[in-house]
Amino acid sequence: MKVVLNTLYIQTHGAYLHLDHETLKIKTEERNHQFPLHHLGGIVLFGNVSISPFLIHRCAADGRDVIWLSEYGTFQARLSGKTTGNVLLRRAQFCLSQNDQGTLDTAKYMLAGKLQNTRHVLQRAGREAKGDSDQIPLNECAELYRQSIHNCQNANDLDQLRGIEGYAAKSYFAVFSHMIRSNRDVFSFTERSKRPPKDPINALLSFAYTLLANECIAACEGVGLDPQVGFLHTIRSGRPALALDLMEEFRVILGDRFVLTVINRNQIKPDDFIDRPGGAVYLTENGRKTFLTAYQKRKQEEVPHLLLKEKIPLGLVPHVQARLLARYIRGDTPAYQPFILR
Amino acid sequence: MSRFDILVTYDVNTETSEGRKRLRKVAIACQDYGQRVQKSVFECRVTQSQYEKLSHRLYKIIKPNQDSIRFYKLLGGRENCVESFGVDTFVDFDDPLII
């Protein structure tokens, strides 16, 4: 089985990365680092970091991800090498996306996974919450999710399905702040805001989703699926619709739940944020470092996979699911089984 | 594709300029697979195939009648096998790498 390779995050202003034999060398003003390439599955660069053309070529050849983010963590570009993978698989994917019933079924499987995982998170938060003022809304929302899962099975078309999702998501974010236990005055959550995030929670959510989306794109690319041809998300120029579909089932596990953990454990504190003109809120360099360290640790935690019946690192789950998705698209299995975290 | 830790140590005869050249080549090869922890000691975390590649590459560089290379397999992981005192420059490449 595939090893979860490490991801290297470079956020030091003015760093320069280059290839030296089989190693990656990093020059910064303070000190130099050297890593063997075979330890790295991906490189994420923040802001003003340069990388030598030969290193880019090498990463493209090896299928190692290189992702450029702005200094605030918004996605800018990613390295994409030669078109690889099985053309027959991609053709099967296109055919399935042309077929209305096929698209609806696939979207249902994916959404069911998301709803199920969200419900688990709500139930768990409900159990852990202290006091009725938090417990009751969380339990009510979990009950609504049970209903949504039921409705999702009976949906007749995509619009109906997206309606169910939208309604469920809205009620989820309405009770989101009941799951926050530390520094509630600063980490208050009213509504989801993006581009730009308008409060610390939204800044964290957006950042986590950016990291997760990149991993899902990489997972799709890795098995030879076209990350842009999606089912639940509509196809739009430049939008990685399939990767976003795949991401739905992990969003609450590696995104929301993770963000709540770093806040509730006091790992991320109110002074880890800076306000920018126009009401935007961003993480400081230090805060970003804490966040990324926790994220990497989280990805190494092993979780049980219901279908494989073994424990795998959380970071590997998107790759495993992409493989299961490919199997389903190819017609080897009758249904796609989303990842459910127990 | 599981990985294991190995310790690579070497002695290369540096009396001649070819010897010094071999020494540099050995160091570069080891650097490609792991990290230097002492002057001629490297710790590497490799898969079986990477291990074969490294040992083959080193074997081609050295002169068997003058130099020596030893591989110690740290079964059970370096955290159980290694105790270190004094200056320790080791970085765990599997820990979060944020620079």
Side-chain angles (χ1 to χ4, degrees):
Chain A
M1 180 163 254
K2 200 178 157 183
V3 180
V4 197
L5 292 172
N6 212 344
T7 309
L8 173 67
Y9 297 91
I10 310 283
Q11 54 161 5
T12 307
H13 194 75
Y16 175 64
L17 279 64
H18 65 107
L19 185 67
D20 181 34
H21 297 92
E22 299 286 306
T23 66
L24 172 91
K25 272 195 172 170
I26 305 161
K27 277 190 200 155
T28 63
E29 267 180 28
E30 282 158 19
R31 55 170 297 199
N32 297 344
H33 305 261
Q34 190 166 12
F35 302 113
L37 273 177
H38 72 82
H39 277 277
L40 301 173
I43 304 169
V44 180
L45 311 166
F46 290 87
N48 178 17
V49 174
S50 30
I51 172 168
S52 84
F54 296 109
L55 181 57
I56 297 180
H57 300 173
R58 178 59 196 272
C59 288
D62 293 353
R64 188 174 294 109
D65 288 310
V66 181
I67 293 149
W68 285 266
L69 304 181
S70 78
E71 54 177 320
Y72 302 115
T74 31
F75 178 79
Q76 302 294 329
R78 74 194 317 275
L79 175 66
S80 113
K82 282 180 195 157
T83 306
T84 52
N86 190 337
V87 63
L88 298 172
L89 172 63
R90 274 203 303 280
R91 194 175 62 177
Q93 184 187 357
F94 299 153
C95 288
L96 187 65
S97 75
Q98 293 289 314
N99 173 342
D100 285 346
Q101 189 57 41
T103 305
L104 180 63
D105 287 345
T106 317
K108 268 187 195 176
Y109 296 134
M110 291 164 155
L111 186 60
K114 175 188 183 172
L115 295 174
Q116 187 67 52
N117 283 327
T118 313
R119 184 166 169 243
H120 273 306
V121 165
L122 285 166
Q123 284 176 324
R124 199 181 123 189
R127 281 197 301 275
E128 287 173 357
K130 294 183 189 83
D132 283 351
S133 59
D134 289 338
Q135 226 157 28
I136 290 171
L138 288 172
N139 289 342
E140 274 173 4
C141 192
E143 179 57 26
L144 184 136
Y145 264 78
R146 195 184 62 77
Q147 192 59 44
S148 300
I149 295 168
H150 184 72
N151 292 346
C152 155
Q153 278 175 339
N154 301 332
N156 296 323
D157 58 47
L158 270 176
D159 283 340
Q160 219 178 333
L161 203 61
R162 289 186 189 126
I164 295 169
E165 189 205 1
Y167 181 63
K170 200 171 165 228
S171 32
Y172 168 74
F173 280 118
V175 300
F176 192 85
S177 54
H178 292 289
M179 294 193 269
I180 300 162
R181 289 203 301 269
S182 298
N183 298 317
R184 232 183 224 192
D185 47 331
V186 180
F187 295 116
S188 61
F189 182 89
T190 43
E191 57 167 357
R192 180 88 183 99
S193 58
K194 42 194 171 179
R195 291 182 226 105
K198 290 216 163 35
D199 57 50
I201 292 268
N202 275 304
L204 291 179
L205 286 175
S206 292
F207 190 31
Y209 292 161
T210 307
L211 297 174
L212 188 54
N214 282 320
E215 269 163 43
C216 290
I217 295 174
C220 292
E221 299 267 14
V223 295
L225 288 167
D226 186 331
Q228 296 203 330
V229 179
F231 301 96
L232 183 60
H233 287 81
T234 35
I235 295 174
R236 197 195 292 158
S237 166
R239 179 199 229 182
L242 184 71
L244 295 176
D245 285 356
L246 185 65
M247 182 171 144
E248 288 299 345
E249 57 204 83
F250 315 118
R251 202 182 268 270
V252 69
I253 304 170
L254 265 164
D256 308 3
R257 186 66 243 171
F258 171 71
V259 166
L260 285 166
T261 307
V262 290
I263 292 172
N264 289 343
R265 282 189 188 155
N266 258 322
Q267 282 172 295
I268 294 276
K269 294 181 199 71
D271 57 8
D272 283 326
F273 297 90
I274 33 169
D275 293 325
R276 306 284 303 170
V281 174
Y282 291 111
L283 269 169
T284 61
E285 200 173 306
N286 230 335
R288 200 159 57 216
K289 200 165 179 171
T290 320
F291 190 82
L292 288 171
T293 310
Y295 188 74
Q296 280 299 108
K297 289 258 186 240
R298 177 86 176 115
K299 281 203 301 184
Q300 283 168 358
E301 280 171 32
E302 299 211 323
V303 291
H305 193 287
L306 293 180
L307 201 65
L308 301 181
K309 297 200 170 42
E310 61 175 310
K311 282 195 152 189
I312 58 170
L314 201 48
L316 207 57
V317 175
H319 295 271
V320 171
Q321 291 305 118
R323 191 142 292 159
L324 294 177
L325 185 59
R327 248 192 243 171
Y328 159 72
I329 286 173
R330 222 187 268 127
D332 296 346
T333 48
Y336 169 66
Q337 161 112 49
F339 177 73
I340 308 283
L341 187 66
R342 276 274 175 86
Chain B
M1 262 244 299
S2 60
R3 297 186 295 170
F4 51 92
D5 293 317
I6 57 170
L7 195 71
V8 187
T9 64
Y10 53 81
D11 257 350
V12 177
N13 189 329
T14 53
E15 279 163 12
T16 61
S17 73
E18 288 104 79
R20 287 188 285 276
K21 204 169 172 182
R22 290 203 301 280
L23 182 75
R24 280 197 297 279
K25 282 188 173 172
V26 168
I28 287 170
C30 292
Q31 190 92 63
D32 283 350
Y33 289 86
Q35 58 184 309
R36 185 171 238 146
V37 288
Q38 282 182 351
K39 286 229 168 68
S40 40
V41 178
F42 279 81
E43 283 182 19
C44 313
R45 181 161 290 170
V46 287
T47 60
Q48 187 64 38
S49 73
Q50 285 163 347
Y51 173 69
E52 307 286 345
K53 273 186 198 150
L54 173 63
S55 54
H56 182 65
R57 186 164 152 195
L58 291 177
Y59 186 71
K60 279 201 305 191
I61 298 170
I62 60 159
K63 273 199 166 162
N65 54 354
Q66 291 182 31
D67 313 332
S68 101
I69 304 241
R70 301 179 85 87
F71 296 98
Y72 297 86
K73 291 193 185 175
L74 304 178
L75 297 175
R78 65 175 299 285
E79 53 279 5
N80 297 322
C81 300
V82 180
E83 209 174 328
S84 141
F85 301 99
V87 180
D88 189 359
T89 55
F90 181 80
V91 181
D92 190 341
F93 292 141
D94 287 337
D95 270 354
L97 297 175
I98 299 157
I99 288 160

